[in-house]
Amino acid sequence: MRRPLIAGNWKMNTTPEEGAELGRALAKALVDAPAVDVAVYPPFLSIGPVAQALRGTDVAVGGQDLHTETGGAYTGNTSGEMLAAAGCTTVLVGHSERRTYEQESGELLAAKTRAGLRAGLWVTFCCGETDAQRDAGDTLDVVRGQLADGLGGLTANELRNVVIAYEPVWAIGTGRTATPEQAQDVHAAIRAWVTSTWDAGVGRSMRILYGGSVKPTNVVGIMAKPDIDGALVGGASLKADSFDALVRFQSL
Ligand code: PEP
């Protein structure tokens, strides 16, 4: 009932020309892709060329960040409305690299989530604990706290346009993937939190992605878990063949 979603976060990689090339390669590779949803999040300057390259496909294009306002005197920023006008249908909010390097707070991330929804984008909202927080036994408190801060003010109706991505910080870009069991434990706790905060219908329909060094060699075990509905992929989304393999995880 929850359609799988495989999403690629390109981070600060690809020039507009390289982005267009990767977009064209994906469009070609994914022509007969199975019934899963697919999204890519290129850097801002590559969004236009990537959206153009993927026109006519079902691959969603998204921004990696957005500002809370629609426009105005906010030098260096980009609004959700601008992303939508450039061909985006989705936006990432709360990636750990932005929480860490840009010091984005829970309050700001709640405002960014609302701004994305206001612009008509669906939001992939990221959460996840650090190594030290896991070692201290705080994983579930940290994750539930991040979700409460970022999503707690939304209505059940608004949540229909939200996807949660659980990304343990210690697994992002490190090659250290959570075991399917570790990921499933957190996903089940997230679903239970969604159910208790809203209702069972929202809990059942909420898609929860796992992210952290997902590759064609480990995606099958991860996707086999009942509360894991897809993957948010960094490194392995930058090559059309590995991303294509991830999208076809059902036949690996
Ligand atoms: C990410 O950037 O969200 C991510 C999970 O990266 P990687 O797959 O490279 O760990």
Side-chain angles (χ1 to χ4, degrees):
M1 147 200 132
R2 294 185 300 270
R3 195 170 148 105
L5 167 61
I6 304 294
N9 171 17
W10 294 5
K11 311 196 190 199
M12 199 168 72
N13 295 296
T14 71
T15 62
E17 203 175 314
E18 290 163 349
E21 199 177 316
L22 181 52
R24 283 191 294 272
L26 287 179
K28 209 162 145 194
L30 296 175
V31 150
D32 59 346
V36 308
D37 289 338
V38 182
V40 293
Y41 295 92
F44 286 157
L45 288 175
S46 297
I47 285 172
V50 172
Q52 166 111 28
L54 290 169
R55 193 160 295 157
T57 74
D58 291 330
V59 180
V61 179
Q64 296 174 14
D65 179 41
L66 80 172
H67 194 267
T68 55
E69 300 299 322
T70 55
Y74 301 100
T75 303
N77 284 300
T78 301
S79 69
E81 286 73 9
M82 291 171 179
L83 292 176
C88 292
T89 54
T90 176
V91 66
L92 274 185
V93 174
H95 192 280
S96 75
E97 287 151 15
R98 295 203 61 85
R99 290 179 188 267
T100 305
Y101 303 137
E102 312 298 331
Q103 289 87 40
E104 293 195 339
S105 66
E107 197 184 341
L108 177 65
L109 296 175
K112 288 192 172 194
T113 300
R114 282 195 300 275
L117 296 175
R118 179 194 66 216
L121 304 171
W122 55 271
V123 172
T124 297
F125 187 89
C126 307
C127 59
E129 81 288 2
T130 63
D131 225 350
Q133 289 164 334
R134 175 163 282 264
D135 287 349
D138 293 338
T139 296
L140 298 185
D141 284 345
V142 167
V143 166
R144 284 190 290 241
Q146 290 170 338
L147 293 173
D149 287 349
L151 305 180
L154 300 181
T155 64
N157 199 37
E158 287 169 322
L159 282 176
R160 288 147 59 106
N161 291 316
V162 173
V163 170
I164 293 172
Y166 166 60
E167 300 203 299
V169 178
W170 48 269
I172 297 178
T174 59
R176 266 180 76 198
T177 323
T179 64
E181 292 69 30
Q182 282 173 320
Q184 166 60 24
D185 285 351
V186 181
H187 281 232
I190 291 173
R191 198 173 304 287
W193 177 81
V194 171
T195 299
S196 68
T197 307
W198 288 277
D199 59 51
V202 181
R204 267 196 308 274
S205 58
M206 175 59 70
R207 286 194 290 186
I208 308 174
L209 313 184
Y210 168 77
S213 299
V214 175
K215 302 184 258 310
T217 48
N218 58 27
V219 68
V220 175
I222 289 165
M223 288 303 296
K225 293 296 180 190
D227 288 299
I228 302 182
D229 306 311
L232 179 56
V233 185
S237 71
L238 289 170
K239 293 261 183 302
D241 56 353
S242 53
F243 193 62
D244 179 50
L246 291 171
V247 169
R248 294 173 203 276
F249 70 89
Q250 283 145 330
S251 43
L252 284 175

